[in-house]
Amino acid sequence: MQQNEEYVLKVLQDVGLVSRKQIAAARTRLDGQNNVVDLLIKGGAVTESDVSRSLAAQAHMDWIDLSTMVIPPAIIKQIRAEDARRFKVIPVAFGETGLVVAVSDPLDIDTIDSLSFLLQRELELVCTSPEKIREGLIKYYGTADEAADALKEKIGEDIDLGLELGDGAAITEVDEADAPIIRMVSMLIIEAHRAGASDIHLEPLDKKFRVRFRIDGVLQEMQAPPKRLQSAIVSRLKIMTGSMSIAEKRLPQDGRIQVKIKKKPIDLRVSTIPTNHGESVVLRILDKASLMLGLPELGFFSDDQETFERLIQLPDGILLVTGPTGSGKTSTLYACLNYINKPDRKIITVEEPIEYQMTGINQVQVNPEVGMTFPVALRSILRQAPNVIMIGEIRDLETASIATNASLTGHLVFSTLHTNDAPSAIPRLIDIGVQPFLAASSLRAIMAQRLVRRICPNCRQPAELGESEMRALRIEPGQLRDAQVMQGKGCEQCRGTGYKGRMGIFEIFILDDEVRHMINKRSATLSLRQRARELGMRTLREDGVRKVLAGLTSAEEVISITIGDVS
């Protein structure tokens, strides 16, 4: 396996991975095809990773796990496929002095020097196991057939290809010619889930079929499959939904796929739209576990959480959660329902679509094609005598009117609205057509929210705020005395970004009698905002600053997300 076998054996023995007895026993089994190290690996005494880690430590070289990384195409293109296969290397990043390259044998200096000469550039080396190199060569440089073969065993244990469709049917028969495409699509889904992606974007361009994952709210380009496989991949996804037509390529279509990854149920919402180079596909990944967050996991500090817990236990009124698409409003609503879901309360939701089936809650699916709209559903569920109603979104006057009337007749109503901040929700409702006196009487509180990326806990380290950041966030030097400002250095777990996961920043506007009087007078948003500030409302940016000073997120994140917040 290695050029200097005796040195490798000595290293393994010195670090305590193998004993002299094990080495001697392996020597007795030499067969001319395997060396002693190979026999130790096959016998289970050590693994390839053990060997490469030990050699990396002796060479003072970092060891990485390639399988946990997502390497951008711009990096992969730095080494041609034939050269990567020939030298058994994978480029992983741009370093300070050169290209960072993963190798499995840090003792093979001749090969490393030859590659450096061929590329005419400096190389920074990191180590990984030969197995990871082989997987990486297939993943980033292989053909569809090679990728499918490599996934044959993995798919069997990771993903259930007997996919449950919307009507409970399952796909059981597979054409042998389609097997590589089926496995390739499965690999794409598995890879996205492992990377923590919220959606997969398959975009047909002029000369390539671009694949991007949205990870922690940021799109990252992945290694693209060959352009010639574009139609086959799109058709496979349509077949998996069980409801989309593979013959229809001129109109948008929507569907749903249910899969299991490591016995864990995952929903995929599929949307296609025709473009000038073919059909663009977006798969939204709905991990049911991620939707069932508790209130602390949403990102509340203890004071805001206490306030919010009190609000969601009110007997009646409307509680609105506002923000743009992708700001976590749905997760917040589910967390609210999960918190108040008790046997003595009847809870009914009206959703489009139902993103998570919750035990003990009556959930209604909107279906405009058969006339089951939000207003129709709401009128019916009021006759079901619920205590709590959750409306996915207030979109029109009819929905808003039923919601306000429900709140005035003893129901607690949760819903969402698309506005930039909390006070703006009031004029938005009035613009829809809600009478000011109804809005004033029914609204109890409005919470605006955004999502910011969390600093990776594995590579977080102390940092300092620059003058421009302090000026933008209006942070005084005195606030830094007890602060714990952090930044992510970048590691394998966060794919070098320095961030892992997201959390919310919030502004909570609780209405009082003065605010209701202002609503009846149709006061401007600015006046409502000033009154909210007098009542103690922290703005999105101010809540973000608290989380920067606590070392939970970065100043850059808060500045970019709350750029419109100047109060």
Side-chain angles (χ1 to χ4, degrees), residues 64-368:
I64 63 171
D65 184 353
L66 276 178
S67 64
T68 64
M69 301 179 65
V70 179
I71 306 173
I75 302 293
I76 293 297
K77 290 176 182 177
Q78 300 302 308
I79 298 180
R80 296 184 305 171
E82 54 267 35
D83 293 331
R85 291 192 180 98
R86 174 185 167 194
F87 293 105
K88 294 183 174 58
V89 298
I90 302 288
V92 295
F94 292 118
E96 295 181 0
T97 60
L99 183 67
V100 181
V101 175
V103 300
S104 61
D105 187 356
L107 302 179
D108 192 358
I109 303 301
D110 292 340
T111 295
I112 295 166
D113 288 343
S114 298
L115 177 61
S116 179
F117 178 77
L118 177 68
L119 298 177
Q120 291 293 297
R121 65 194 303 175
E122 292 291 326
L123 299 180
E124 296 181 27
L125 302 181
V126 293
C127 192
T128 192
S129 67
E131 178 189 11
K132 302 300 182 186
I133 290 288
R134 290 192 294 270
E135 291 177 358
L137 289 172
I138 292 173
K139 177 179 177 181
Y140 295 109
Y141 295 105
T143 63
D145 288 338
E146 288 176 323
D149 290 340
L151 279 170
K152 185 175 182 179
E153 294 183 4
K154 185 183 293 185
I155 289 172
E157 62 186 19
D158 274 353
I159 188 163
D160 180 5
L161 287 183
L163 298 172
E164 298 177 5
L165 304 180
D167 57 0
I171 299 173
T172 55
E173 296 184 4
V174 175
D175 191 320
E176 186 176 346
D178 294 333
I181 295 298
I182 291 172
R183 292 171 182 156
M184 194 172 206
V185 170
S186 300
M187 177 179 68
L188 189 70
I189 295 170
I190 292 171
E191 192 69 29
H193 183 260
R194 284 178 176 166
S198 59
D199 40 69
I200 305 169
H201 295 252
L202 306 172
E203 302 163 314
L205 304 180
D206 184 18
K207 296 182 179 179
K208 66 182 290 190
F209 188 41
R210 183 167 67 179
V211 176
R212 295 191 289 178
F213 294 169
R214 190 181 297 279
I215 302 173
D216 293 337
V218 178
L219 282 171
Q220 298 183 18
E221 189 164 349
M222 303 295 115
Q223 184 68 21
K227 174 75 172 175
R228 59 186 172 80
L229 299 179
Q230 173 181 313
S231 296
I233 290 172
V234 174
S235 295
R236 171 59 188 164
L237 289 168
K238 287 182 176 181
I239 290 171
M240 289 170 72
T241 67
S243 61
M244 299 170 72
S245 170
I246 61 173
E248 181 56 75
K249 300 180 180 180
R250 300 165 299 172
L251 296 173
Q253 296 187 69
D254 295 297
R256 175 180 177 181
I257 301 171
Q258 292 179 314
V259 296
K260 289 182 180 178
I261 298 178
K262 292 185 177 178
K263 310 297 183 182
K264 190 176 182 181
I266 305 293
D267 276 3
L268 302 170
R269 298 296 160 83
V270 185
S271 172
T272 67
I273 189 168
T275 71
N276 56 338
H277 295 298
E279 288 180 283
S280 175
V281 184
V282 174
L283 289 83
R284 186 180 177 198
I285 302 172
L286 298 175
D287 185 343
K288 296 182 178 181
S290 69
L291 286 172
M292 288 303 293
L293 297 173
L295 293 178
E297 287 77 26
L298 294 178
F300 285 111
F301 275 140
S302 57
D303 55 349
D304 281 345
Q305 182 176 331
E306 184 179 341
T307 299
F308 196 62
E309 286 176 358
R310 178 172 55 81
L311 290 171
I312 64 178
Q313 295 186 82
L314 291 172
D316 55 38
I318 296 178
L319 177 61
L320 287 178
V321 181
T322 76
T325 301
S327 60
K329 300 187 297 296
T330 299
S331 294
T332 298
L333 288 180
Y334 276 119
C336 293
L337 296 183
N338 193 40
Y339 184 84
I340 63 173
N341 187 11
K342 302 288 192 309
D344 61 344
R345 285 191 171 191
K346 179 162 184 174
I347 302 173
I348 302 182
T349 72
V350 185
E351 306 172 62
E352 185 188 7
I354 295 173
E355 295 192 1
Y356 182 79
Q357 295 181 3
M358 303 180 72
T359 304
I361 292 179
N362 301 276
Q363 294 172 271
V364 178
Q365 170 80 49
V366 170
N367 187 355

